[in-house]
Amino acid sequence: MSRKRPAKIFLLLIAMLATLFTAPLATTPAVAAPATFVHPGVLVSQAQLDFVRTKVNANAQPWKAAYDQMIGSAYASLSRTPKPRSVVECGPYSDPNLGCTDERQDAIAAYTDALAWYVTRNTSYATEAIRLMDAWSATITNHTNSNAPLQTGWAGSVWPRAAEIIRYTYTGGWPNMNRFATMLRNVYLPVVIKGSNSNGNWELAMMEAAVGISVFLDDKSNYDKAMAKYLLRVPAYVYLTSDGSLPKTVPGSGLNTSAQIIGYWQGQSTFVNGLTQETCRDFTHTGYGIASISDVAETSRIQGTDLYTGDTGTRLRYALGFQSLYELGTGPPSWLCKGSVNRGLGPVTEVGFNALSFRLGNAMANTQTLTENNRPAGTNSLFVAWETLTHAQNPN
């Protein structure tokens, strides 16, 4: 008996080691929907809105200047004529552009009016936001052509921001709210939840839309699906040296060789912390990706899971810092994008900078300089809007 026992223990250890070495590699942890969704809870929370309202009404800066910029824009007009279409057709490079610009700008206008309502308590802004949302929910049935997924993502990111504020803070009634919810569920969600293996900003924008729509619909299942895709796409969009010699990819991407991955990264073969999949394409598209990474992380934090303190936050911090350095005018080295970058990051740094530096205390000198130089950050007229107003030095 005593001679057999060591042998059994040895065999057991061998079996345990075999299991250890053949076990699948650890994956990004899942982010589950909260037991109860927080409302308003898409990009901005009630506490954040209250902070903004207090600052604007006290004429404090930079919020008052940001508010004045917003309220002076065409998006805040109370006489805007909505231009809904049943089928929005968006081709490559906006050709054709049949309702694409109109849809995006009407969505931004609705969000603008919702923010204006909250700050001023002028019901005219709330009813204007409702009028714009009602016009589209009564009309749109589909998006078509090659840019349809991206268009659905962009507009679908903004609509729920506006709707959350109106639904949960305006007491004057919204008779067609259920029709608007049906529009989000039937026209937008089935498209964006599928994701995309085009350039990474596409899937990030689509997941931003899917997450926001899921919050508005109290849809835990699709929230979980969208977050799972997001958590795979972020590491495939922003490189860290801990990833190894090549950037990560997502399942089903079709990127199976070094040459394919390098090609997908715009021919860039030297990888450093904060480089993104589209850095060497141009900073404008890179800014879209950074914006959606930030926006989803912000919504997730509001809903109870702080992604800023983990891998997502680390990648976002490096991405902001890397792009900010060159956006500020530093000349790129010869190994980066063949020594030339196309600047134009856009008004996309406030959300991430506020979370990672102002709230968490990370030193982000280049991002801080760029963010402060660009205040008040306006809108890119696609899906980013008024983030100095909503997120500058916002502690909540």
Side-chain angles (χ1 to χ4, degrees):
M1 295 280 296
S2 62
R3 291 179 182 176
K4 290 181 180 180
R5 189 171 298 156
K8 288 182 178 179
I9 293 173
F10 177 76
L11 291 172
L12 180 61
L13 287 171
I14 292 295
M16 290 174 64
L17 288 170
T19 301
L20 177 63
F21 286 115
T22 57
L25 294 174
T27 57
T28 303
V31 175
T36 302
F37 283 106
V38 174
H39 300 291
V42 176
L43 188 58
V44 288
S45 67
Q46 182 91 46
Q48 288 174 319
L49 289 167
D50 287 340
F51 173 84
V52 170
R53 183 169 187 261
T54 298
K55 290 296 186 181
V56 172
N57 289 338
N59 291 319
Q61 300 298 352
W63 306 275
K64 182 58 165 60
Y67 175 78
D68 289 344
Q69 175 196 47
M70 181 188 79
I71 211 70
S73 74
Y75 291 108
S77 171
L78 292 174
S79 59
R80 184 181 184 86
T81 300
K83 298 178 181 178
R85 296 176 69 98
S86 176
V87 177
V88 175
E89 183 176 358
C90 306
Y93 304 101
S94 299
D95 184 18
N97 179 346
L98 301 178
C100 314
T101 299
D102 293 335
E103 179 187 24
R104 295 192 303 263
Q105 295 189 358
D106 279 350
I108 290 173
Y111 178 51
T112 300
D113 290 326
L115 290 172
W117 140 253
Y118 199 89
V119 170
T120 66
R121 292 301 195 270
N122 181 342
T123 60
S124 295
Y125 287 113
T127 56
E128 178 69 5
I130 291 170
R131 190 171 69 88
L132 292 166
M133 291 188 285
D134 282 354
W136 281 89
S137 69
T139 308
I140 190 169
T141 61
N142 198 16
H143 298 87
T144 62
N145 215 316
S146 62
N147 271 23
L150 181 60
Q151 173 73 16
T152 310
W154 280 342
S157 294
V158 182
W159 287 127
R161 294 179 209 162
E164 279 279 297
I165 295 171
I166 294 301
R167 180 178 182 179
Y168 291 100
T169 72
Y170 176 61
T171 59
W174 183 7
N176 293 314
M177 183 190 71
N178 289 336
R179 187 180 72 195
F180 182 84
T182 299
M183 175 192 79
L184 292 181
R185 182 173 294 283
N186 294 344
V187 179
Y188 293 85
L189 189 55
V191 176
V192 294
I193 200 65
K194 293 177 182 177
S196 168
N197 278 321
S198 186
N199 281 301
N201 80 85
W202 280 45
E203 183 160 89
L204 289 166
M206 293 166 76
M207 291 313 105
E208 180 179 352
V211 165
I213 290 168
S214 295
V215 171
F216 184 75
L217 297 177
D218 289 308
D219 186 334
K220 295 182 181 181
S221 176
N222 279 306
Y223 183 92
D224 289 348
K225 290 177 183 177
M227 288 301 307
K229 285 184 182 292
Y230 167 84
L231 290 172
L232 288 173
R233 178 57 64 179
V234 173
Y237 194 73
V238 180
Y239 177 83
L240 293 180
T241 54
S242 57
D243 296 338
S245 60
L246 290 170
K248 292 179 177 290
T249 60
V250 297
S253 67
L255 303 173
N256 301 312
T257 69
S258 297
Q260 289 173 328
I261 294 172
I262 290 169
Y264 187 60
W265 282 64
Q266 320 300 325
Q268 179 69 15
S269 58
T270 300
F271 303 100
V272 296
N273 285 328
L275 183 81
T276 80
Q277 182 254 316
E278 296 184 278
T279 297
C280 293
R281 181 186 184 187
D282 57 59
F283 278 23
T284 300
H285 287 88
T286 298
Y288 302 162
I290 288 174
S292 288
I293 293 172
S294 304
D295 293 353
V296 174
E298 191 71 357
T299 296
S300 177
R301 189 188 64 85
I302 293 168
Q303 298 304 327
T305 301
D306 192 347
L307 296 175
Y308 292 120
T309 58
D311 181 77
T312 297
T314 300
R315 291 178 191 273
L316 177 59
R317 178 164 55 87
Y318 275 108
L320 284 166
F322 186 81
Q323 266 63 222
S324 294
L325 173 65
Y326 298 107
E327 182 73 9
L328 287 167
T330 296
S334 59
W335 57 262
L336 177 61
C337 310
K338 300 179 181 179
S340 177
V341 294
N342 296 313
R343 296 177 177 87
L345 195 62
V348 302
T349 64
E350 286 279 15
V351 174
F353 175 69
N354 183 63
L356 293 164
S357 185
F358 182 75
R359 282 202 301 254
L360 294 178
N362 292 293
M364 299 173 66
N366 291 322
T367 308
Q368 180 173 352
T369 298
L370 181 63
T371 301
E372 292 177 351
N373 286 352
N374 287 344
R375 285 177 177 166
T379 176
N380 66 1
S381 295
L382 300 173
F383 70 108
V384 179
W386 322 125
E387 292 182 348
T388 295
L389 176 65
T390 56
H391 287 86
Q393 301 174 41
N394 199 318
N396 298 297

